[in-house]
Amino acid sequence: MADNLISINGLFAGVDGETILHDINLDIKRGETHVLMGPNGAGKSTLGNILMGNPVYTLEKGSIFFDGEDITGESADKRALRGMFLSFQNPLEVPGLTVDAFIRNALRVKNGRAVKFMQYNRELTETMKILNIDPSYAERDLNVGFSGGEKKKAEILQLLMLKPSFAILDETDSGLDVDAVKTVSLGIKEYQKREDGALLIITHNAKILESLKVDHTHILVKGRIVESGDASLVDKINREGFESYITE
């Protein structure tokens, strides 16, 4: 277990009294990119929320270890301070809080000290260039009036600035046009340059994976991981879909 950044053991979980995930076991090491695929309603987003400690969801049985420590009962804010990050399918709008202020405050809380202004501004500017984001974007209220693509870019900007140890990207490509998918992929590739960071990419569409390095792929159907493999499993799903995994 010590070699794993994330270890999920015998996990059963659900929401509103309904069990959605059944006996999930998954190990993710530093530097690895894992992809979780499956049809709509398979429980993919439930797993992402359970890992992040969303209190709306209930962990019924099993355990979650992060960097060798049991975090099964920890709150979402404590998991974030440990270095966990979750992107959302539908990011919330936050009127009155700019993108810049949100990232600066998040860095201050994460690091436990004030952010060095010049160093921060330089890194923010460089990161926005990587994502082809106009500098004025930083002064807009977080997600307010943003298009779907802009919201996803904002989350990838947060990912690159906060540098979490473990990032869960939940349907990051959902509703994006071709150009926005390319930009988001570019940001994910930038994060993958970190040797100590790990990714869990949750998706039902393999388009965003085309230019990414994928180490392990898992197929989730009806709340169960029914097959695991390497990147070639993504190609199989592209050719055949999920039909062969869906049984009554």
Side-chain angles (χ1 to χ4, degrees), residues 95-153:
L97 180 66
T98 66
V99 173
D100 171 61
F102 175 81
I103 294 174
R104 275 191 291 109
N105 288 336
L107 282 170
R108 177 182 58 78
V109 172
K110 176 190 174 187
N111 298 328
R113 60 179 183 275
V115 175
K116 294 182 179 179
F117 185 75
M118 291 183 65
Q119 179 181 335
Y120 164 79
N121 275 354
R122 182 170 58 251
E123 186 171 352
L124 180 65
T125 299
E126 291 173 354
T127 305
M128 292 178 80
K129 284 182 180 178
I130 291 172
L131 296 175
N132 298 311
I133 296 175
D134 188 279
S136 63
Y137 192 84
E139 299 308 316
R140 296 173 61 184
D141 286 1
L142 184 63
N143 296 327
V144 177
F146 285 18
S147 67
E150 287 175 328
K151 288 180 179 180
K152 298 305 171 73
K153 286 182 183 180

